[in-house]
Amino acid sequence: SVRAVWTTWAMEHPEGEEPLRNPASAITRKRGRVVKVKARQGALSVVQRKPWISEIEARSNDAAAALAFVFYTGLRRNEAVGLRWDEVGDDTITIDASRMKAGEELARPITPKMREILDRQRGKHDTFVFPAHRGPGHLTETRKTLHAVNDVVGTSITIHDLRRTYAAAAALAGLPDIAVKLLLGHTTSDVTDDYKSALRSELPDFADRVEVELLREVSQ
């Protein structure tokens, strides 16, 4: 990009005072010395899960409830904190494709722990499950509570690490890959509609199995 800008300027100003040298050259020479940063792969370990969620559930604020909801669903941050009551059914939460990063509607079963959180949040706001502390919108700030819990438990996870934690628990629970995709809201465009339809009836059982795995007690 830098090279293109420099070249375009030079072509448009043939009689002008050109830069002393192409700034992209220095970047090119240094490229081999740049250390590539690996994508973050953080997640709560099996041993850390129970103490972490116990600390979250001991707190009564909306941010803690939202973080617990992410832990039990694997939803992305914006999908969880922006959850509306009209998206919550008797047994399923249904989020329109326009709110999902993958661009596909999410319909996932409500597990017992999810229902506990939803029941505690009822009556706090007419529209949003996790309302903002001020104003008419939904909750936006979760970092302060997350950092406080991390400090107590001795972890250093991000909210997206909770999504990875859910995916890891799903794998340990032996779920088929397509079931994990359907629960997490990953794109399923590479899967036939017949296969997806066949698995949807089993999603409540799959979701319950992941929840059991998330809460599994492990001796340290």
Side-chain angles (χ1 to χ4, degrees), residues 39-99:
R40 182 181 173 89
Q41 297 295 325
L44 289 169
S45 69
V46 177
V47 172
Q48 293 170 330
R49 291 174 195 163
K50 191 63 184 291
W52 191 92
I53 192 60
S54 295
E55 180 63 29
I56 274 285
E57 291 179 336
R59 298 166 186 260
S60 59
N61 60 60
D62 292 324
L67 289 166
F69 201 75
V70 173
F71 177 85
Y72 287 120
T73 62
L75 289 176
R76 298 176 181 88
R77 178 185 179 280
N78 290 339
E79 295 162 1
V81 299
L83 187 67
R84 303 191 305 266
W85 285 115
D86 62 10
E87 296 172 328
V88 180
D90 292 336
D91 301 302
T92 307
I93 61 170
T94 304
I95 302 179
D96 187 74
S98 62
R99 269 214 324 117

